[in-house]
Amino acid sequence: MTSNPPGITPTPDATGEPMPAASHASLASPTFSPLYQQIKGLITQSLESGEWKPGEIIPSEVELAVRYKVSQGTVRKAIDELAADNLLVRRQGKGTFVATHNEDRAQFRFLRLLPDDGAEHPHISHLLECRRLRAPAEIARQLDLKPADPVVLIKRLLQFDGETTVLDEIWLPGSVFRGLTLERLAEYKGPLYAMFETEFGTRMIRASEKIRAVAADPAVAVHLRVAPGFPLLSVERVSYTYGDRPVEVRRGWYVTTGYHYQNDLS
């Protein structure tokens, strides 16, 4: 008799396939998780632990089916969901890779401001400041920190075609982003989320946003070169990494003259 791999128990499901191991807490729970969802969870654990790093190819569906002692179809369904969640990327004829924020298709996954004319308008980021401070109460709550825990505050402007369009205020947990400085940010060539991923091991998985129309206060108006009271779009985002752990609070003010905020729903 062969032994089962870690995380798998020989108990079969309704299809006769072995089921991944469950904790005592989950065994006591009346809820049922489909087998492919359990395999999805095990693959996600491997992604979170760094077994397969951003940009690397993961084992084939056949290899994963052998590893977890399930059918290839079950693995395929789990990978389909992980690809839909933007955690994995299928490449025709090459295999399945861990998604990375360096990919072109990921560049605008979290920046949803698009030009009305439909043309591509490259943007330039201008850093204003990066400093460590004690977390304000509201930021601490959103990042699930204790009041006055250390945080990193980044402020930057985004320019499209030379026009200042976005003011970003970005709050990060200081314990996760130790060593992040203005100089280090200025030296990095690439998207901010790609830097967080490659240099701090923190991948943004999903985000929750609140959007409202606001009038520019004097401080914001100066940065965006508009008059106080000018109509702006305010976007407040909390971004999460594996385990649904909040790792970023971002407050953005957008000038929407010639631009619109687009969110595709499905």
Side-chain angles (χ1 to χ4, degrees):
M1 180 181 291
T2 58
S3 61
N4 293 284
I8 297 291
T9 177
T11 305
D13 71 349
T15 66
E17 291 191 3
M19 302 280 285
S23 66
H24 292 298
S26 62
L27 286 173
S29 171
T31 60
F32 171 76
S33 176
L35 184 56
Y36 77 90
Q37 287 281 1
Q38 297 178 53
I39 300 304
K40 176 183 176 182
L42 292 175
I43 295 174
T44 301
Q45 288 176 16
S46 292
L47 295 173
E48 183 175 4
S49 70
E51 179 179 351
W52 309 310
K53 294 179 171 52
E56 290 183 352
I57 191 170
I58 70 168
S60 68
E61 291 176 359
V62 172
E63 292 171 317
L64 290 174
V66 171
R67 172 174 174 166
Y68 297 126
K69 296 188 181 298
V70 296
S71 71
Q72 186 177 346
T74 297
V75 171
R76 182 178 299 116
K77 192 167 184 179
I79 290 178
D80 284 344
E81 288 215 347
L82 289 165
D85 292 342
N86 295 294
L87 298 185
L88 297 176
V89 178
R90 292 187 184 277
R91 293 177 183 160
Q92 188 67 33
K94 295 182 179 180
T96 302
F97 294 76
V98 182
T100 168
H101 286 291
N102 272 310
E103 296 177 40
D104 289 340
R105 71 182 192 87
Q107 301 284 329
F108 289 92
R109 181 180 163 207
F110 292 94
L111 180 60
R112 310 300 299 175
L113 194 68
L114 301 176
D116 292 339
D117 61 14
E120 184 175 341
H121 295 258
H123 68 273
I124 299 174
S125 175
H126 294 279
L127 296 167
L128 300 177
E129 67 174 285
C130 176
R131 59 190 174 98
R132 295 179 69 89
L133 64 157
R134 297 294 179 182
E138 178 61 15
I139 297 297
R141 184 190 67 78
Q142 291 176 292
L143 288 175
D144 199 19
L145 302 174
K146 295 178 181 178
D149 272 358
V151 291
V152 176
L153 170 61
I154 300 169
K155 289 186 180 181
R156 69 170 185 175
L157 295 172
L158 295 181
Q159 287 187 335
F160 292 79
D161 289 338
E163 295 291 330
T164 303
T165 308
V166 179
L167 170 63
D168 269 335
E169 184 181 271
I170 302 165
W171 299 84
L172 307 166
S175 60
V176 177
F177 292 89
R178 290 189 180 95
L180 181 59
T181 63
L182 188 65
E183 292 75 21
R184 193 167 175 183
L185 284 167
E187 289 173 359
Y188 187 83
K189 306 304 179 186
L192 202 57
Y193 279 179
M195 179 188 189
F196 295 167
E197 177 182 84
T198 58
E199 299 197 14
F200 294 92
T202 301
R203 175 170 172 76
M204 305 303 180
I205 301 302
R206 72 172 187 89
S208 176
E209 290 187 333
K210 294 179 181 179
I211 303 174
R212 58 172 58 91
V214 299
D217 66 36
V220 171
V222 168
H223 284 302
L224 291 176
R225 300 178 182 176
V226 296
F230 190 87
L232 301 174
L233 193 65
S234 167
V235 180
E236 183 170 310
R237 174 195 308 164
V238 179
S239 299
Y240 300 83
T241 188
Y242 295 107
D244 230 23
R245 182 164 53 94
V247 284
E248 180 201 45
V249 172
R250 183 177 299 215
R251 295 170 175 172
W253 293 268
Y254 294 38
V255 177
T256 56
T257 305
Y259 292 85
H260 61 274
Y261 196 92
Q262 180 171 319
N263 195 7
D264 298 320
L265 305 177
S266 60

